[in-house]
């Protein structure tokens, strides 16, 4: 079966294909009485929107969101919030070649293997366009947990990492890469430009930090906060790896190096002397910042030809072929992944808050 | 709320604490008519069982599983399979100190923050002992997908990795580390021994490969196979990172390097020239081997003292303290993580098979 | 939490209020390759549509459905099918009185008690208008189980029942009551007219029969077919009772009277000599017709004044009041319940088929 | 698939067959800190236990419950509560005939049709024995909602109803029928005795009232309180009908007769002048008593022979046969249904409370 709903108590369901008339999300379980309008959602969509710099795809999608239900007199009513975004800049003619051959790295072959056929226009349902629906739903989630602050950024492109010593949060919004290191951002301009001119693409690493999450959110055992975050991140197009806290680096530490020692703090809360754990122990928030790292592979749509096969003909025979994915593609899909990761973190945390409140009052 | 059920169609629910009378799992949704007995489950539990070498905890848990329901005349009936393992080697006296102070890196503080108190004996519900229930459930899952072969192994301990050139699958069962590289296994003896003698611990990386998964299993969007595997792995105690295929390394590749080119093969199936994607595209299996890497942090229970705080007294005041976690602990919890990762992979794949069958016949 | 999704494998989520811009449903889990267009859905909506006779509300809702996703080249793709129906004949001015006082029998007071406020226009989310979304989703479900035939009809209005001896299926579409007994239909004209002129309303009983359901669909224990049908029926506005097979009458039979004896039939299938059970045993279909009876209370919106209270003012004080629900209401809401009950039966059975296929191949 | 879990936030999963070693339930999502021991659960099991009068089966099942997890130092910890009841009075020899022929009215044929074979001993999973697990889980649920009082009773056996004028709650525990009308109880002795001596059985109607449920519990749309109660009741063995409030009788009322008028009451709460709705409007509790009626068919196991067929032989051929269900059966299964209905009501309400708390704080 397909399964297009995420969350347990605060849930959202997305629908829509790249080249259908619209895409959208239905957010269910939202608390009542939250002040909301399209103006609370649109800025996050604008952050994700393509065509804002030469380092992202030149498609022009205004991504105007409409709230179709669940809000009355400017407040959530507790009933499902239907969010819709019309698709406006589709160029179906670009995709005729894709109908006949499988793009390596894309879901083309897998969808055909599963369903027998596929909507090949722009990747159909497997298009990263679906992530706009998540960003819209995530904007609602943010309002559910107003004291939580979620900050995503790109920490590495094509193997070139930021220098933690240069980290400046204020820089994140000042360059087209969501990069907190001004020097790295300058280097990335040349790096991404070169890849784009080569018809190639680059991978990236996105980091995300959520502060203000109180100790206690999250739950054993299969709704562990880290497990939910991993599922959320890995459900995003092009993501191939997830780390919580030190992640793989923790596997190279000794026990005493990896410990997060505690001292008594104010108001009965501990002071932690380190945060190797990324703010989660036993699946439950410790009150420290939640830290997540997400690996995006390079965009699979490239102009460099790759060996592939054609769709089987009626006799079930595929031919050897070669494909160059023309069209308007992000040279580094991880960049626009930042608002998507942030949205998924918001959605997981809103759900965790509500689950916690259900059980623990 | 707590959420102790995993899976969508093939589901299991685990229960039990480290020092209660028993632990167990209820497997629901299993197809009928599968030949099964305790003898099909016990070997996997034996593989996970502690006390089999000096490199794992010296607790003696025979971990004898009993099937309490769902099987009749040696075959699954389609009704829930209740699996129970009695706890026999509990030494509650070891844990008195833990009742009064929080062990850094453990769930002690987080559980108290969430629930107001906790079963502190051996970690209670947050003990890795729960993973025995998963291994039992995973043994059932294996029988549901008999053509899938799942192979887990340790690829790195304390930063010392195997050499892929030495990879020999037959070696995995020949050393106490589930290590496919005989030379690495020899080195690890000294490495783990030293850590154990220091009262310290080491992290590890576990890899897992599943072959025989047909193209088509898995599902968009929030039941993507990689998303389910990430959630499954990250729900295991001490896991801090998950990679599918090349994982974080993919973020350092260019698009053409990361492509998995295809050529026409036999019976309409493609031949893939690479497997950077780890056997999954768009969340759906491609028919290539599924590849997963999992990072285990070093065991948090160490004899080296760590700064901590006491449980708040009635006035809500915590004292500064120091804790050394006495008892019988794994110096490298990742080692016994191998059968657990394998079990979770089996459980995810059995569920994926059944979901695929539901929708696509 | 609110919970606007129904189903386990074949699932649908509805959204929308009576006076918002639109209502809709997202159908998830649908098998791929099913030929479908709006023309397959519209006739069922037309059957439910108000304003088709003087015995239903005179609101004019064209209820034109649009498919926004999940269909490509005329076939379902296996991805979510988003269905939208715009609201066009809203007269918000009719509802100002309702904002200030609670209509007895309606959800007004309960919604306020739960959420603190409500969208009072036309009942908001609690309006029977939502059932249009179910009818649209049900039309998709019918295509998933093409060999199942579902026939709903009204068997009783205001205590005046059909005579089983006059049952003529062909009559159901020939009168405005979905009545299979022409004589009863003639009597009901006068009966419903009189109630309408009195400003009153009448209850009704809807029956539904599904043939072609193979033995084996359904599942122990909490997804029993009868349990799912009961939940489905009782989720419909104004429904207060559900019976499977003989229902409450079975409670007055002796064991030998209630038995459904079996004789050997053709192709290994039994011949049942009776169907007291309504086609379900142990929650699983027996292959006999599935039989369901559903009780609809009289429409709560009546012109006869009823004692009520006003919304609490800022000091929390309610005043005694009286309310007459003006507007355009169904004098017997059960009549238009027929296509809704049919839709819910289709949705439950499509889900049951897919659950069966998941477990039993 | 089978689906042996019930509930959304407060969930329980049951397992076990009539003649396996044990049956049980895993309760997940329970709030922490609730004082509990086996002594809180056992009385409810004793109430359901067979063999307590000649009007119930003479099987001797002590039904001693054990808590295996989720409780520490006498309080719930928030982790899963595993409850186990060993089966002790199994007489498998009684069931040899059942292995060869299908008992009409039982799940025998349907299970074979679904799963290909079945555990025929005592009905296996379809045995009403499973309901002991629900009663145990329900006892936990009662502790979660201590201010709710749930009262079940039998209101009718074999068509002989209690006289509401004689209703005396104190009588319910004073006779073997859970009958609140002493005169009816006296008549039922003869009635049930006669049926038992005839080798026949009788149906019954169980009513259940829950007081103390605050306005606001429950949720639109597919978790409506009435929908959840209907699903819960209809999942019980032998249940064929469910009514909320006036149920089918409401279908015979006019709108003004069915209204529940309101007057201002104390503390901002309304006074309702009637309760036709059974305490639920729009799926949400109104604060009035929740009222439920449940129809139990007569026990299908009777000594009077019924026509049936044999299991198909290897060639798929069934023979005509006749079956008398020997053994120790309840002459009126509805009687012991009372504690089961109560338990299911408790479980639904505990879940509703927690869902409400999740969304509305």
């Amino acid at each position: 079966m397909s399964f297009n709903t995420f969350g347990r108590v605060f849930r959202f369901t997305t629908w829509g294909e790249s080249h259908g008339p619209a895409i959208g999300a239905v957010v269910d379980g939202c608390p009542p009485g939250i002040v909301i309008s399209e103006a609370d959602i649109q800025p996050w969509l604008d952050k994700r929107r393509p065509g804002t710099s030469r380092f992202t795809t030149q498609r022009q999608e205004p991504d105007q969101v409409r709230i179709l239900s669940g809000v009355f007199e400017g407040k959530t009513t507790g009933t499902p919030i239907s969010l819709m975004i019309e698709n406006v800049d589709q160029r179906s003619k670009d995709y005729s070649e894709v109908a006949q051959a499988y793009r390596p790295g894309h879901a083309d072959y897998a969808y055909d293997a599963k369903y027998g056929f596929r909507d090949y226009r722009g990747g159909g349902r497997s298009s990263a366009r679906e992530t706009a629906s998540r960003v819209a739903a995530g904007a609602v989630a943010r309002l559910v947990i107003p004291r939580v602050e979620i900050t995503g950024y790109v920490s590495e492109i094509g193997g070139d990492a930021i220098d933690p010593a240069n980290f400046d949060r204020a820089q994140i919004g000042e360059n087209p890469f969501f990069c907190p290191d001004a020097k790295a951002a300058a280097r990335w301009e040349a790096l991404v430009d070169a890849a784009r001119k080569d018809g190639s693409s680059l991978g990236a690493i996105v980091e995300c930090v959520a502060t203000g999450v109180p100790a206690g959110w999250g739950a054993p055992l299969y709704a562990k906060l880290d497990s939910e975050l991993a599922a959320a991140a890995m459900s995003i197009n092009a993501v191939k790896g997830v780390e919580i806290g030190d992640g793989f680096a923790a596997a190279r530490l000794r026990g005493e190096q990896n410990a997060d020692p505690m001292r008594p703090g104010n108001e009965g809360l501990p002071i932690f002397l380190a945060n190797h754990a990324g703010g989660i122990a036993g699946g439950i928030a410790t009150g420290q910042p939640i830290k997540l790292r997400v690996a995006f592979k390079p965009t699979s749509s490239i102009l460099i030809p790759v060996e592939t096969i054609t769709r089987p003909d009626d006799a079930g025979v595929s031919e050897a072929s070669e494909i160059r994915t023309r069209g308007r593609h992000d040279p580094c899909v991880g960049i626009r992944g930042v608002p998507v990761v942030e949205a998924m973190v918001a959605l997981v945390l809103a759900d965790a808050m509500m689950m916690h409140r259900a059980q623990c009052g």
Side-chain angles (χ1 to χ4, degrees), chain A residues 7-260:
Chain A
R8 300 174 192 276
V9 171
F10 185 88
R11 278 154 286 115
F12 70 98
T13 301
T14 69
W15 54 269
E17 280 83 37
S18 176
H19 283 59
I23 62 172
V26 182
V27 178
D28 197 10
C30 185
I34 296 175
V35 174
I36 191 171
S37 75
E38 277 91 350
D40 294 298
I41 303 172
Q42 196 60 49
W44 305 108
L45 285 167
D46 292 346
K47 192 171 169 185
R48 178 200 162 278
R49 196 176 59 201
T52 53
S53 81
R54 71 178 184 276
F55 307 107
T56 60
T57 168
Q58 294 308 302
R59 281 193 301 276
Q60 293 300 326
E61 294 159 348
D63 283 353
Q64 287 292 327
V65 68
R66 280 184 69 198
I67 299 176
L68 296 179
S69 69
V71 175
F72 181 60
E73 296 182 343
K75 289 186 293 185
T76 59
T77 60
T79 62
I81 301 169
S82 178
L83 305 168
M84 187 170 73
I85 301 164
E86 288 185 54
N87 288 329
V88 296
D89 185 36
Q90 310 144 356
R91 302 191 192 167
S92 292
K93 62 186 168 183
D94 286 343
Y95 296 99
S96 54
E97 188 182 9
V98 179
Q100 296 309 321
Y102 298 126
R103 295 168 302 166
H106 279 283
D108 300 352
Y109 171 71
Y111 267 64
D112 260 20
K114 183 172 192 70
Y115 296 121
F117 80 122
R118 71 187 193 282
D119 179 350
Y120 48 76
R121 301 166 304 164
R125 181 67 180 156
S126 72
S127 166
R129 175 134 191 76
E130 184 268 347
T131 60
S133 301
R134 308 185 190 209
V135 170
V140 180
R142 287 175 192 262
L143 300 175
V144 173
I145 47 171
R147 273 174 288 202
V148 174
E149 190 164 27
I150 298 167
T151 307
Y153 51 90
V154 177
S155 66
E156 188 177 317
I157 290 185
D160 182 10
I162 60 170
D163 180 345
N166 294 341
F167 190 100
D168 176 2
R169 207 192 133 167
Q171 280 296 318
I172 296 173
E174 300 300 311
N175 58 70
F177 305 106
F178 302 113
C179 178
D181 171 352
K183 289 184 182 167
R187 296 194 305 271
W188 294 350
E189 289 213 16
L191 191 66
V192 178
D193 258 342
R196 190 168 51 83
K197 284 171 187 161
D198 293 347
S200 183
S201 62
L202 298 169
I205 294 176
V206 171
E207 298 189 8
C208 190
V209 178
T211 57
V213 176
W217 291 7
L221 273 167
Y222 302 114
K224 279 181 172 174
L225 208 45
D226 25 15
S227 183
E228 305 278 72
L229 288 168
M234 202 69 99
S235 74
I236 301 171
N237 308 50
V239 170
K240 301 306 286 185
V242 186
E243 296 180 314
I244 304 291
D246 284 2
F248 279 85
R252 281 136 206 162
L253 297 179
R254 287 166 64 99
E256 66 277 17
Q257 296 168 321
N258 188 58
D260 295 326

